[in-house]
Amino acid sequence: MHYLFEPLVIPSIPVLETDARFPVRRIWCVGRNYGEHTREMGGDPAHDLPIFFAKPSDAVTTEEVLPYPLHTENLHHEIELAVAIGQQGVNIPVQTALDHVFGYALALDMTRRDLQAIAKKSGQPWDLSKGFDQSCPISPIVPVTQSGHLIKGRISLSVNGAVRQQGDISDLIWSIPEIISILSSFVELRPGDLILTGTPSGVGPVKVGDRLEGECEGVGKLHVRYTER
């Protein structure tokens, strides 16, 4: 096969304490999956199905110093537990959903909140507010063989040392097995897929110079600092 130009390198994430890397295929995100966050965004936690949206695979970054994104004056942090899929499946039963998990990581769903608000108001897609370059900072993946399956554990985010977000994985409206099962009824999940499971309340603005530190029990920490572009 002759390509017109050299194909881009597949985005990947290091696997903790190994030389292996997890190649990223797709990034699926679950919106409003903590009750308090749903309410702070003006929604009702009692929705019938999870809200799914996507980021491009090359939105992932493991860099700790990032340039502040263009075209926003209101960049927001959203700390989330990420589930790394390691086994193919479609219409996966809830009872066997965790068999498809390779491991877990801690991620940020960075959001250009001002662009998102404009899109919502006019009924347009959110893509440019959610799927921009380096919009998914992420920690190394911890394999299930080390972490076990996470059904509870504190998740938090501090900005410049002050806690902004905190919750517990057990507070998820839709559990990890339920998310995997429902999503796999819409799309076939394959190894390399990531699922960001939702963010606790307390989302807020990030400014140039801010230092973000995320932490999740059983997963570890995530450090990011924003600089002038």
Side-chain angles (χ1 to χ4, degrees):
M1 182 182 294
H2 173 68
Y3 290 107
L4 292 176
F5 50 87
E6 190 67 24
L8 297 177
V9 175
I10 296 173
S12 63
I13 305 166
V15 177
L16 190 69
E17 298 178 355
T18 74
D19 294 330
R21 297 188 69 89
F22 181 90
V24 180
R25 176 177 177 262
R26 292 177 172 175
I27 305 173
W28 295 102
C29 305
V30 183
R32 299 185 178 183
N33 201 25
Y34 285 82
E36 288 303 316
H37 172 61
T38 302
R39 282 184 279 270
E40 78 177 345
M41 299 301 290
D44 181 358
H47 43 277
D48 293 332
L49 285 172
I51 300 167
F52 292 110
F53 61 94
K55 289 177 180 276
S57 60
D58 61 0
V60 296
T61 178
T62 56
E63 298 292 326
E64 293 191 358
V65 180
L66 298 177
Y68 198 86
L70 297 171
H71 296 291
T72 184
E73 300 298 327
N74 194 21
L75 179 69
H76 273 209
H77 55 75
E78 298 190 13
I79 192 70
E80 312 206 6
L81 176 68
V83 178
I85 298 297
Q87 181 179 318
Q88 178 271 344
V90 63
N91 281 327
I92 300 167
V94 172
Q95 295 82 354
T96 60
L98 292 180
D99 295 342
H100 295 260
V101 176
F102 169 76
Y104 300 93
L106 190 57
L108 280 162
D109 169 21
M110 300 304 294
T111 304
R112 290 164 163 158
R113 193 70 75 199
D114 42 3
L115 296 192
Q116 186 187 40
I118 293 169
K120 284 181 176 180
K121 186 175 181 179
S122 56
Q124 296 176 353
W126 296 2
D127 298 58
L128 292 178
S129 68
K130 288 286 192 178
F132 53 94
D133 297 341
Q134 300 176 311
S135 62
C136 186
I138 194 165
S139 71
I141 294 172
V142 182
V144 165
T145 52
Q146 295 183 39
S147 66
H149 286 296
L150 302 180
I151 59 174
K152 64 179 181 178
R154 183 176 182 268
I155 183 170
S156 64
L157 181 81
S158 298
V159 178
N160 301 325
V163 176
R164 290 265 192 93
Q165 292 185 261
Q166 58 182 330
D168 196 282
I169 296 165
S170 63
D171 296 332
L172 289 172
I173 296 171
W174 299 96
S175 70
I176 293 169
E178 289 170 331
I179 291 167
I180 292 171
S181 178
I182 295 168
L183 181 58
S184 74
S185 73
F186 288 96
V187 296
E188 182 180 24
L189 295 178
R190 288 184 174 271
D193 288 344
L194 287 176
I195 305 174
L196 274 60
T197 56
T199 193
S201 62
V203 299
V206 175
K207 302 184 182 304
V208 171
D210 281 351
R211 295 174 291 103
L212 282 61
E213 181 180 54
E215 187 170 4
C216 181
E217 289 182 53
V219 177
K221 295 183 178 182
L222 174 64
H223 299 271
V224 176
R225 179 170 61 87
Y226 279 92
T227 63
E228 292 278 6
R229 179 172 290 277

